[in-house]
Amino acid sequence: MNKPLIVILLAVTLDAVGIGLIFPILPALLRDVGHTSEVATLLGVMLALYSLMQFLFSPVLGVLSDRFGRRPVLLLSLAGAAIDYLIMAFAPQLWMLVLGRAIAGITSANMAVATAYITDISTEDERAKRFGLFHAMFGIGFIIGPVLGGLLGDYWVRAPFIAAALLNGANFALALFVLPESRQRDERTFEWKNLNPFIPLKWALSFRALIPMMAIFVIFNFLGNMYGTVWALFSQDKFAWNGFMVGLSLCAFGICHAGAQAFLTGPVVARLGERWALVVGMTFDLTALVVLGFAGQGWILFALAPLFAMGGIGMPALQSLITKQVDSDKQGQLQGVLASLVSVASVFSPLFFSLVYFAVQPHWPGAVWLVGAAIYLLALPLMLGIRRSGPAAAI
């Protein structure tokens, strides 16, 4: 791997750790600052606000990175995140926490810029493998973050925010002193109307070849939120697991998933191509979901971790296919649109699957996984609309 790739992957990992640090202690901090024990609604509002800001600003940061370069946009967002987390660490009032969480959603939209950076420095044949590494490193960071946040939060409820600020500061220094720019500055006249987050979405939908890929991308991310929403509920209701067992199973899931994306995506895509790698990933995921729906013993969840892990190669392969449909000078805008779609899925998926689970739980808890499998099947006819060649022409 070249130095820029190593640096951007390390930055992605640190970013994921910083994001994950906050989740274990956010309810306790809301109770402390808000002086109330009823924080469920407020927590939901803050999580939704975070996703909404990502939805609105991912396309904006992507467009800005196409125009002014990836590096300055990354530096600005990392500096903003460090300052924001530091302010939140000492926020004395509830409205400051809410505002800070909104700003955190804006700065976390820099993941679109990071994926565009990887596209810039990778040939078309390298992209699937490197997107696999991107997802793997983000996943590892997201495993470490909540664990570290929980430990620090037991010591002091505001300590994880200070740690997140320090991590973003380190990330800023890394990008400032080591990370080179990946593309030339665009000297054409910049139209500020392009900062409207809905204009990049309209632009992406003008490419006929992109539409089925984006639909599959939404389905993948919609289902990806299902595990975090109902895994703990299902394992506790079905197998009477305690918190340690739930955490252990999620850790096994995350490690296997990250390992497959890091080490198997490249060889599978090199041998089969992106489209067939996508089919293989979907097949493994579907199989695992159906088996999970009928699981009668807890050990089966651990046994399914490799199957779910193999399913993880589908997303990097799909992202590689998507990048081939757009010229290099619009990759930031494209990645911003994709990150925006991820945010939409993150808002609606937990609500949908929580409602489904509570509807089926009294009779058959495993049915929620079969509902997920049925949604997965919607992606199969969309596969027929995927083209090999690119860049695609607009409609």
Side-chain angles (χ1 to χ4, degrees):
M1 291 192 294
N2 54 37
K3 184 174 74 172
L5 179 62
I6 294 173
V7 173
I8 198 70
L9 290 176
L10 181 57
V12 166
T13 307
L14 291 175
D15 207 16
V17 173
I19 295 170
L21 275 167
I22 309 306
F23 289 112
I25 54 86
L26 194 53
L29 184 60
L30 290 175
R31 284 192 289 268
D32 181 54
V33 176
H35 306 292
T36 177
S37 60
E38 300 297 329
V39 298
T41 301
L42 183 58
L43 180 62
V45 168
M46 291 187 71
L47 294 176
L49 183 61
Y50 182 89
S51 296
L52 177 62
M53 293 299 103
Q54 284 184 317
F55 168 74
L56 293 174
F57 283 90
S58 291
V60 172
L61 294 187
V63 169
L64 289 174
S65 74
D66 281 338
R67 175 62 177 83
F68 300 105
R70 316 292 185 213
R71 187 170 178 270
V73 176
L74 278 172
L75 288 172
L76 183 62
S77 63
L78 290 171
I83 296 171
D84 176 57
Y85 280 125
L86 199 59
I87 292 173
M88 290 179 71
F90 300 100
Q93 296 182 8
L94 195 57
W95 69 266
M96 296 179 68
L97 285 179
V98 175
L99 178 62
R101 199 61 186 157
I103 297 173
I106 295 172
T107 57
S108 69
N110 62 22
M111 287 294 100
V113 183
T115 50
Y117 189 101
I118 291 175
T119 303
D120 293 339
I121 64 173
S122 306
T123 65
E124 289 189 354
D125 292 337
E126 294 172 329
R127 286 177 186 171
K129 176 182 179 181
R130 291 183 173 182
F131 282 136
L133 289 169
F134 170 87
H135 286 286
M137 299 308 290
F138 189 88
I140 290 171
F142 220 74
I143 292 171
I144 297 172
V147 175
L148 185 59
L151 291 173
L152 291 173
D154 287 341
Y155 175 73
W156 182 34
V157 73
R158 295 176 184 262
F161 284 97
I162 297 176
L166 292 174
L167 281 173
N168 277 279
N171 226 345
F172 175 84
L174 187 68
L176 179 64
F177 296 111
V178 185
L179 190 69
E181 179 54 63
S182 63
R183 57 177 280 110
Q184 291 184 343
R185 180 188 175 100
D186 189 345
E187 298 299 337
R188 290 176 294 182
T189 302
F190 182 71
E191 297 185 15
W192 291 98
K193 68 178 184 179
N194 290 333
L195 295 184
N196 181 337
F198 297 100
I199 289 180
L201 180 60
K202 181 181 178 181
W203 162 82
L205 292 174
S206 70
F207 292 86
R208 192 184 303 276
L210 267 179
I211 293 174
M213 297 183 193
M214 290 171 61
I216 296 173
F217 186 81
V218 170
I219 291 172
F220 274 25
N221 282 282
F222 189 82
L223 291 171
N225 284 281
M226 172 176 58
Y227 305 108
T229 303
V230 300
W231 185 278
L233 295 170
F234 171 76
S235 57
Q236 290 170 348
D237 292 340
K238 183 71 175 179
F239 308 115
W241 279 4
N242 57 21
F244 173 76
M245 287 298 297
V246 172
L248 188 63
S249 65
L250 286 172
C251 183
F253 180 97
I255 291 173
C256 290
H257 210 261
Q261 289 182 321
F263 301 112
L264 297 181
T265 300
V268 172
V269 170
R271 186 172 183 83
L272 301 178
E274 286 101 336
R275 293 200 299 173
W276 279 107
L278 177 58
V279 171
V280 168
M282 291 171 62
T283 302
F284 275 104
D285 256 349
L286 268 171
T287 303
L289 284 171
V290 172
V291 174
L292 188 57
F294 293 95
Q297 298 183 40
W299 63 265
I300 295 177
L301 275 64
F302 288 94
L304 288 175
L307 284 182
F308 280 119
M310 284 300 297
I313 67 176
M315 179 61 81
L318 176 61
Q319 281 187 281
S320 178
L321 275 172
I322 291 174
T323 62
K324 293 180 178 180
Q325 306 302 316
V326 175
D327 290 326
S328 60
D329 63 339
K330 294 292 186 181
Q331 289 295 330
Q333 185 164 310
L334 172 65
Q335 296 301 330
V337 170
L338 295 180
S340 187
L341 295 177
V342 172
S343 301
V344 172
S346 299
V347 171
F348 293 103
S349 177
L351 177 62
F352 173 81
F353 282 109
S354 62
L355 291 174
V356 170
Y357 183 75
F358 285 114
V360 302
Q361 187 268 342
H363 311 288
W364 182 14
V368 67
W369 307 113
L370 301 185
V371 172
I375 294 174
Y376 227 134
L377 290 174
L378 296 175
L380 295 181
L382 294 169
M383 291 289 297
L384 300 175
I386 291 182
R387 297 173 48 174
R388 287 185 185 175
S389 60
I395 297 174

